[in-house]
Amino acid sequence: MFPMRRLLLPVFCAASLVLLAACAKSAPKTDAGLGLNAQQTAGRRIFQADCASCHHAYSSAGSKGPSVKSLFKKSYLPSGLPANDRFVRGTIVSGRGMMPGFGAALTGQQVEDLLAYLHTL
Ligand code: HEC
């Protein structure tokens, strides 16, 4: 038995682990990777389905609508209204300018889930 052979397996394993770690880093953000709880995860799904076509969540670049990155970390919303649940809920439910309202499409619980997610951005 060559000693090299015994070395090969652990070296191979270590190399795969490093590769795996590298992949995990570059892979798109998963709910678990973002540290989201169940409600925030539900909100993220709704965001991806209903909002992501017009708003970036992880980039400050504008899309069809303004970015919602750090939405609640700033004092004011893009419109100039205070950045709090009341006004963001109002925009989601009734719409604003070119943005359609989602009051008919989403349940009250879904709107709350969405708000919980937006607070994580
Ligand atoms: C069809 C494109 C479109 C979709 C879909 C859309 N928005 Fe918007 N959104 C806009 C536009 C355009 C504005 C800017 C409105 C304005 O101030 O005239 C906006 C503004 C906003 C604002 C800022 C409000 C303020 O007071 O400045 C928030 C928050 C927001 N949207 C959240 C959402 C969420 C959450 C969803 C998903 C439920 C969503 N939007 C879906 C286009 C969209």
Side-chain angles (χ1 to χ4, degrees), residues 2 4 12-13 15 20 23 28-29 51-52 55 60 65 70-71 81 91-92 96 104-105 115 120:
F2 299 109
M4 264 306 281
F12 178 76
C13 288
L20 263 179
C23 289
K29 291 184 178 185
C51 323
H55 296 282
S60 351
S70 308
L71 190 70
L81 290 168
T91 295
I92 295 171
R96 172 170 303 281
L115 287 170
T120 69

Side-chain angles (χ1 to χ4, degrees), residues 15-87:
S16 334
L17 275 180
V18 169
L19 265 179
L20 263 179
C23 289
K25 259 193 185 159
S26 60
K29 291 184 178 185
T30 60
D31 298 338
L34 290 167
L36 302 182
N37 66 26
Q39 184 182 24
Q40 295 158 349
T41 300
R44 183 169 184 241
R45 299 264 150 76
I46 298 161
F47 184 86
Q48 284 170 330
D50 292 333
C51 323
S53 55
C54 294
H55 296 282
H56 290 304
Y58 299 107
S59 145
S60 351
S63 173
K64 287 179 199 154
S67 161
V68 290
K69 186 179 177 211
S70 308
L71 190 70
F72 285 109
K73 300 202 170 66
K74 298 174 190 152
S75 309
Y76 299 100
L77 298 170
S79 63
L81 290 168
N84 61 34
D85 281 6
R86 187 178 145 218
F87 289 114

